[in-house]
Amino acid sequence: MLRTRKIRWLSGTLVLLALLTLLLPSALLPQAEAAQTQTSGIDAVLVADVSNSMNTSDRDKISNEAMKMFIDMLPTVGDKVGIVAYTDQVEREKAMLEIQSDADKSNLKDFIDQLGRGPYTDISVGVAEAMNILNHGADPSHSPMIVLLADGNNDFNKSKGRTQAQSDADLAKAVKDAQAKGIPVYTIGLNADGKLNKNALADLAKQTGGKSFITDTPDDLPQILSEIFADHAKLNVVKLPSVTANGSYQEVTVNVPNDSVLEANISIMSSKPVQVQLTDPSGKSVNLNSKEAKLSTSKSYSLVKLLKPQEGDWKLRVKGAPKDSIDINLLFNYDLQLVTDPIKTKSYTKGDKIDLAARLENGGQPLQDNDLYADMKATLVVQDKDTGKTEQQPLKNTGSGFTGTFEVPDNHNYELIIRAEEDSFYRESTPIIVNAGGAGGSQAQPTTPATAKPFPWMPVILGVIALIVVAVGGWFLMGWLKRKNRGFVGQIIVEVRDENTGDKSYPQYKKLASFRGRFHLHQLLQLDPELKETEKYIFTPGNGDRLIIRNTAGGTLEKSGRAVDASSGVELKNGDRLSIPLQQADKTILIEYLV
């Protein structure tokens, strides 16, 4: 469709058309060479308040269990973890360790079990040291994060003369550093004694783009850690049925929806130890210390990790002490894209009908397992580009894709997006542009007949001029086409903050590989009419896996807490965050670019 429009636009001379035909194969990037987004590794620093006050606010040492469970949930190899235990000083710390084996995980968990308690507390000490560890030991290609486990209260040693103002200043400096480097701080508030300073922890998380959680029992850990992983590592959470133990094995079905699942974590939380058995979809018993699955245990949880699991229903059998409540969460990651069939490139008019078809693909190939479609629903989201009005209509699920028909309601221009979803995930297609003669429409321009007569007495001069024009035009054309067809890499995390309430929407992860040349922010916001002004924010690919955002209407936005002029373009690199305040709605768009 893009190629045809450009050919029509450049159809002034037969020479340039012939040249365009020769240049297009080298100018357009083949689909097979499109940049593929991959899940980034994680560089995490776990920060724990180990002051004496935690003897009451964290009686059961939930913080230790949380840190160990976090480590067990990480992939088998590749991620890096550091640990900071603080009071009003750093009591113990472990520099960033790259996990290469189960022994590395055991090393980290043994270190956590050895942590003691000490007097006084200064939260700025823990956060500042975490930033110091990341600044000196993080992998630039990884996605950094901090997980803080504390009650949010300070208790200074009066003999040292430390004040709250000094602590606040040091914390603000660490937060500013985290903001500048796109490092979120996730806080888990420990509240066994009811003295939690939840506002301080919530504010710390909010300032850095993390999330804040509160708990007084280990039972909450699977859900909290699953949400942290889902928010930071682009994973999906599925809640499985809880079990009330009766002293015998009880069975829970763990459905792996398709063969694109890369890894699944089954977290099992109970107040007393449980025994676990597992069978694969064929009914074969699975060794829980093998290449298929690994079992990690602690005093309050068990975690089963499935590695590249086979599609189908796995059977998890758990046996616990009678009347003990057993909570089970499933966290898995998979790679699916929603791809649409191209429509005819033409100028449409009111009443024309356009057949639409879309399907899921895995690794560039149609999904082989059609069972995944069974519970999915698809919707066509239509935006009238001339009026800004958005409507939706359901599409048919064929069992191997989605189909429907769009009837052009008026002589306007339209943008169509297909959205397919089920309980644990959704996917959106690349926008389809329909030109139907509306204002600003890009209809094909008729070729203007040549009126100038040739000059027989100057054929040589004209021939030379024509060759120069063709050569120069072809050179500029090739560069123009390459720019217009450049692909994108990475993904953008989008959140919408309501400035009246302070509430933020759940983060949406938008992969960029399907876009070509340019796209606008409104496309990432599901074409919400209330956010229509975001159409003026245009993204184009930059050099070296960078991304350029430009406000075509002029104005500023905030990057790392600083106002910058977006009219000439702002460059984003991996981990950069932007805040875009809207003028026509009391909302702020928060985006983070990840490669």
Side-chain angles (χ1 to χ4, degrees), residues 480-499:
W480 181 78
L481 286 174
K482 285 184 177 180
R483 290 193 301 273
K484 290 295 183 180
N485 287 279
R486 284 183 65 183
F488 294 85
V489 299
Q491 58 187 319
I492 289 180
I493 305 175
V494 183
E495 295 177 282
V496 180
R497 183 175 67 214
D498 189 319
E499 296 303 328

Side-chain angles (χ1 to χ4, degrees), residues 239-259:
K239 181 69 176 176
L240 297 179
S242 296
V243 172
T244 300
N246 59 14
S248 301
Y249 278 104
Q250 295 167 272
E251 189 172 271
V252 175
T253 299
V254 178
N255 177 258
V256 176
N258 59 75
D259 58 9

Side-chain angles (χ1 to χ4, degrees), residues 49-113:
D49 180 350
V50 294
S51 63
N52 288 333
S53 66
M54 301 302 286
N55 289 328
T56 55
S57 58
D58 186 21
R59 289 188 298 266
D60 299 323
K61 291 194 173 181
I62 295 173
S63 57
N64 287 13
E65 294 300 289
M67 288 189 287
K68 290 190 290 185
M69 188 172 179
F70 183 97
I71 291 166
D72 282 332
M73 293 176 75
L74 290 172
T76 308
V77 296
D79 288 358
K80 300 175 74 173
V81 177
I83 300 171
V84 174
Y86 74 93
T87 54
D88 65 338
Q89 61 186 9
V90 176
E91 295 291 337
R92 295 195 65 185
E93 73 175 84
K94 196 170 188 65
M96 300 296 288
L97 173 66
E98 183 174 359
I99 297 173
Q100 294 292 339
S101 66
D102 291 336
D104 290 332
K105 289 189 175 185
S106 295
N107 184 352
L108 290 165
K109 291 189 288 184
D110 289 344
F111 178 87
I112 291 168
D113 282 334

Side-chain angles (χ1 to χ4, degrees), residues 438-572:
S442 55
Q443 297 192 43
Q445 300 297 318
T447 301
T448 303
T451 56
K453 295 182 179 180
F455 297 91
W457 48 273
M458 294 188 64
V460 175
I461 296 176
L462 289 179
V464 172
I465 293 174
L467 288 174
I468 293 173
V469 170
V470 168
V472 174
W475 184 79
F476 279 107
L477 175 61
M478 176 178 284
W480 181 78
L481 286 174
K482 285 184 177 180
R483 290 193 301 273
K484 290 295 183 180
N485 287 279
R486 284 183 65 183
F488 294 85
V489 299
Q491 58 187 319
I492 289 180
I493 305 175
V494 183
E495 295 177 282
V496 180
R497 183 175 67 214
D498 189 319
E499 296 303 328
N500 293 319
T501 65
D503 294 336
K504 286 197 299 185
S505 66
Y506 194 81
Q508 301 293 328
Y509 302 88
K510 308 289 186 178
K511 292 187 176 181
L512 306 183
S514 59
F515 292 107
R516 312 297 295 175
R518 58 183 278 163
F519 64 93
H520 55 73
L521 179 57
H522 200 210
Q523 294 171 240
L524 302 183
L525 296 170
Q526 303 176 40
L527 307 176
D528 186 340
E530 182 185 16
L531 309 177
K532 186 177 186 299
E533 65 184 280
T534 57
E535 287 181 338
K536 64 188 179 184
Y537 290 93
I538 305 298
F539 292 94
T540 54
N543 296 324
D545 292 344
R546 303 294 176 93
L547 189 65
I548 308 297
I549 182 172
R550 180 177 291 102
N551 184 349
T552 57
T556 62
L557 49 77
E558 289 186 6
K559 179 181 179 182
S560 302
R562 299 179 181 178
V564 294
D565 182 7
S567 59
S568 58
V570 176
E571 184 180 69
L572 302 180

Side-chain angles (χ1 to χ4, degrees), residues 18 37 85 113 138 219 266 269 286 344 369 396 400 413 457 467-468 480 508 515 535 537 575 588:
T37 58
D113 282 334
D219 295 344
I266 308 170
M269 187 67 68
V286 177
K344 293 182 179 179
D369 182 5
K396 179 182 178 182
S400 59
N413 296 310
W457 48 273
L467 288 174
I468 293 173
W480 181 78
Q508 301 293 328
F515 292 107
E535 287 181 338
Y537 290 93
T588 298

Side-chain angles (χ1 to χ4, degrees), residues 16 34 42 53 94 141 146 196 208 381 461 532 589-590:
L16 284 180
I42 291 176
S53 66
K94 196 170 188 65
S141 67
I146 295 172
L196 176 72
T208 58
V381 182
I461 296 176
K532 186 177 186 299
I589 310 302
L590 308 174

